[in-house]
């Protein structure tokens, strides 16, 4: 197994197939690339800002301690999606050879001061990335190292690369409670698979079934989840994508879909000294 480091990135690749690899930007511990046999599986904006000045538009941004923008409570002073994706993470090294596994860590001392003071709690995050022939598993361990309890939300904000948004569907979301940010409504998800023909921005709550992303009717990605019961589906479509200065190319919405495993429909309470863990496993089919 190969582990290559630069000042800003860590790239791991399989001995059995060096063209199967993952590249992680230390800023935000943001996965920028996941290749299977040399084929890129994630979408990254051509205008993604990678100089640590902003969250990365694409790959797998990490959301902690809040999903979205809170208007009240302890996270209300934080920017949208919290500070994990805005902070420099430490590369902790390799922990396993098979699957090839590496870890990254974040504590309050590394969070930019303005953000750390906006959420003054002690914590330790350990982010684990395991790469195998056709799968990528990302795991998050959240430890409360404070003397007081605090609440958090966490989400893997995965931008999947797809051939054509007009033929993509997400299965496994039927009969769940949906909070729809576009229609500003709440409803029960229909039985049909979720397709994209306009802007979609929905939280599907407590999704028990396995989730699959299909392309042209064929399974394209499988998404297995442990302890991240909610699934966010987002595609900015035309208007919202042109409103994002770091979203490129303009037609990029046609080759991406965010299907995001998270625990965001409620607050997770964590007692002092406790550890909360969750993971997603993405498989290219
Ligand atoms: O996960 C969906 C979402 O919450 C959308 O509402 C949209 O805001 C997207 O995240 C991107 O957010 P960002 O802060 O990265 O521009």
């Amino acid at each position: 197994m190969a582990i290559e480091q630069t000042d800003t990135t860590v790239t791991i690749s399989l001995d059995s197939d060096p063209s199967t690899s993952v590249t992680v930007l230390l800023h935000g511990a943001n996965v920028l690339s996941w290749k299977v046999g040399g084929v890129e599986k994630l979408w990254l904006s051509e205008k993604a800002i990678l100089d640590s000045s902003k969250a990365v538009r694409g790959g797998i941004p990490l959301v902690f301690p809040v999903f979205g923008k809170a208007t009240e409570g302890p996270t209300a002073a934080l920017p949208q999606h919290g500070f994990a994706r805005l902070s420099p993470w430490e590369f902790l090294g390799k922990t396993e050879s098979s699957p090839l596994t590496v870890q990254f860590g974040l504590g309050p001392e590394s969070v930019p001061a303005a953000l750390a003071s906006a959420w003054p709690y002690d914590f330790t995050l350990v982010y684990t990335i395991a790469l195998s022939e056709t799968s990528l598993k990302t795991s998050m361990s959240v430890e409360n190292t404070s003397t007081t309890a605090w609440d958090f939300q966490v989400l893997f904000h995965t931008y999947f690369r797809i051939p054509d948004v007009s033929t993509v569907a997400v299965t496994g979301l039927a009969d769940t409670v949906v909070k729809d940010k576009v229609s500003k409504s709440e409803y029960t998800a229909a039985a049909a698979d979720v397709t994209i023909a306009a802007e979609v921005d929905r939280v599907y709550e407590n999704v028990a079934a396995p989730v699959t992303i299909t392309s042209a009717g064929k399974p394209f990605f499988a998404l297995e989840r442990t302890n991240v019961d909610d699934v966010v589906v987002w595609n900015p479509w035309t208007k919202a994508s042109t409103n994002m200065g770091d979203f490129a190319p303009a037609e990029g919405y046609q080759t991406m879909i965010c299907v995001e495993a998270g625990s965001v429909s409620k607050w997770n309470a964590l007692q002092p000294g406790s550890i909360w863990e969750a993971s997603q496993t993405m498989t290219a089919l």
Side-chain angles (χ1 to χ4, degrees):
M1 79 299 302
I3 299 178
E4 295 163 50
Q5 289 182 253
T6 71
D7 290 344
T8 59
T9 62
V10 174
T11 296
I12 63 174
S13 57
L14 299 184
D15 279 350
S16 55
D17 176 7
S19 69
T20 293
S21 64
V22 170
T23 296
V24 183
L25 184 70
L26 290 173
H27 172 67
N30 203 114
V31 172
L32 299 177
S33 167
W34 165 37
K35 288 180 181 173
V36 176
V39 178
E40 181 59 63
K41 298 299 178 184
L42 301 178
W43 187 89
L44 182 68
S45 169
E46 292 172 3
K47 287 188 179 173
I49 295 170
L50 305 179
D51 65 3
S52 306
S53 65
K54 171 175 201 304
V56 174
R57 179 67 60 203
I60 310 177
L62 297 175
V63 171
F64 176 86
V66 58
F67 173 70
K69 186 71 180 82
T71 53
E72 58 184 13
T75 63
L78 291 176
Q80 169 152 295
H81 294 338
F83 54 69
R85 64 178 186 167
L86 299 171
S87 300
W89 289 60
E90 179 189 355
F91 178 49
L92 304 178
K94 180 180 75 125
T95 58
E96 300 280 340
S97 296
S98 181
L100 179 51
T101 306
V102 292
Q103 291 189 323
F104 300 82
L106 182 70
E109 68 287 352
S110 301
V111 176
L115 299 176
S117 60
W119 194 77
Y121 300 101
D122 285 332
F123 68 91
T124 300
L125 299 184
V126 177
Y127 184 45
T128 304
I129 291 173
L131 176 67
S132 48
E133 282 66 27
T134 60
S135 294
L136 176 62
K137 180 177 182 180
T138 66
S139 309
M140 185 66 77
S141 164
V142 182
E143 181 176 6
N144 180 347
T145 53
S146 280
T147 54
T148 58
W150 39 257
D151 297 339
F152 71 97
Q153 296 170 333
V154 75
L155 174 129
F156 304 105
H157 199 296
T158 310
Y159 289 69
F160 289 95
R161 178 181 291 271
I162 52 167
D164 180 352
V165 72
S166 68
T167 70
V168 79
V170 185
T171 75
L173 302 175
D175 304 323
T176 58
V177 171
V178 184
K179 287 204 171 61
D180 189 319
K181 284 170 71 173
V182 174
S183 64
K184 297 181 176 53
S185 63
E186 186 174 318
Y187 49 85
T188 299
D193 297 342
V194 173
T195 55
I196 310 287
E199 181 182 358
V200 170
D201 192 350
R202 305 172 191 157
V203 179
Y204 291 81
E205 299 186 353
N206 300 311
V207 177
V211 171
T212 302
I213 300 170
T214 65
S215 177
K218 295 188 178 61
F220 202 67
F221 289 106
L223 176 60
E224 297 163 84
R225 296 163 293 115
T226 301
N227 209 25
V228 270
D229 297 335
D230 306 316
V231 175
V232 176
V233 177
W234 177 58
N235 183 288
W237 206 247
T238 51
K239 185 164 172 289
S241 50
T242 49
N243 289 342
M244 290 181 280
D246 60 352
F247 191 102
E251 65 277 8
Y253 71 92
Q254 297 176 14
T255 56
M256 56 76 66
I257 184 170
C258 281
V259 180
E260 310 158 18
S263 186
V264 299
S265 59
K266 63 187 184 325
W267 289 98
N268 300 286
L270 201 55
Q271 297 304 315
S274 296
I275 296 177
W276 181 96
E277 296 179 320
S279 68
Q280 67 168 353
T281 300
M282 301 163 285
T283 301
L285 301 171

